[in-house]
Amino acid sequence: MEAKGGEPSNRIRKHQSDESSSESEEEGSEQDEESDEEEESDESESEQEGSANGDGSISITLTDPQVLDCSICFQALTIPAYQCENGHAVCSTCCQKILSKCPTCASRAGYSRCRMIEKVLESVQVLCQNTKYGCQKAFSYSMKQKHENSCPFVPCSCPIAECNFKASSKQLHRHFTTEHNKSAKHFRYDRLASVTLGVDENILILQEETDGSLLILNNRVETLGNVVTLSRIGPSTERSFLFQLTAKDEGDRRSSLRLQSLVKSRPKRVDSAASSGFLLVPRQFSCTSRQLEFDLRFPGYH
Ligand SMILES: [Zn+2]
Ligand SMILES: [Zn+2]
Ligand SMILES: [Zn+2]
Ligand SMILES: [Zn+2]
């Protein structure tokens, strides 16, 4: 990779200034570069294949990705990065916590800015770990965690217990529609839905007709009655929205209980989740029919 009279430094500089370039720009510069390279000898052209990309950047493989992580908290290093006198790199958060002594080598000489690793962090582009689920994003290494914590392509699991399918939420919606269409009750956010669930059934899957989202109504039998929660399958950073779940008393039609809460998303179905709001449906609401009856509304969509 060290190659060719003056070329490498050009290439690296170019990459840094091109950090945010779009794919089409990269394609454009690929053509320019190719015509340049034709003027070089055959030998140099073949050596560059596989190491230098057409846009002037160089593809590298980190055999140990942790080399760019903080030696204390093991999170991706961010700028500013610091090092002890023996070169143990730490993030700024850890550096502030351990003012006196490097935990790796016990040096007491203190920490200084590590400009070298900062340059590397700025220029190294990594792909999102959810590439195989459809995320196209590439970013500097220090942005990796920030992006992946909120990546919309985080893999979500099919709520059907026997199915191992896992994909981005959009792909999961399509999978569910083609594979398990009959396993869900269909509803629409902008309409009132009547939902019925057996007292002993612990789950009802609901699929929205327009965008395919999957909601899970969980039910657990407790001493006083049934504990019911509603959640959505999706990246946990997805926007929460209001729902109203009204349990109806089958015997006395004038009695009902309503929970208004936020639908939160999780990438997989969690059966015992009562962390957000739950509705406790008293036993007498369902004592003869052994069915729980609900009205489900989404006030933000009406
Ligand atoms: Zn750290
Ligand atoms: Zn050290
Ligand atoms: Zn991503
Ligand atoms: Zn499935």
Side-chain angles (χ1 to χ4, degrees), residues 28-59:
S29 64
E30 190 172 333
Q31 285 163 358
D32 299 345
E33 289 284 320
E34 264 167 19
S35 55
D36 285 344
E37 279 169 16
E38 272 166 32
E39 288 157 27
E40 294 169 10
S41 69
D42 288 353
E43 201 188 328
S44 71
E45 206 173 315
S46 64
E47 268 184 50
Q48 279 165 1
E49 263 176 13
S51 60
N53 303 326
D55 64 354
S57 63
I58 300 170
S59 297

Side-chain angles (χ1 to χ4, degrees), residues 69-77 89-95 97:
D69 293 343
C70 169
S71 60
I72 295 171
C73 67
F74 305 112
Q75 304 285 303
L77 284 169
V90 296
C91 71
S92 56
T93 316
C94 290
C95 187
K97 285 186 202 152

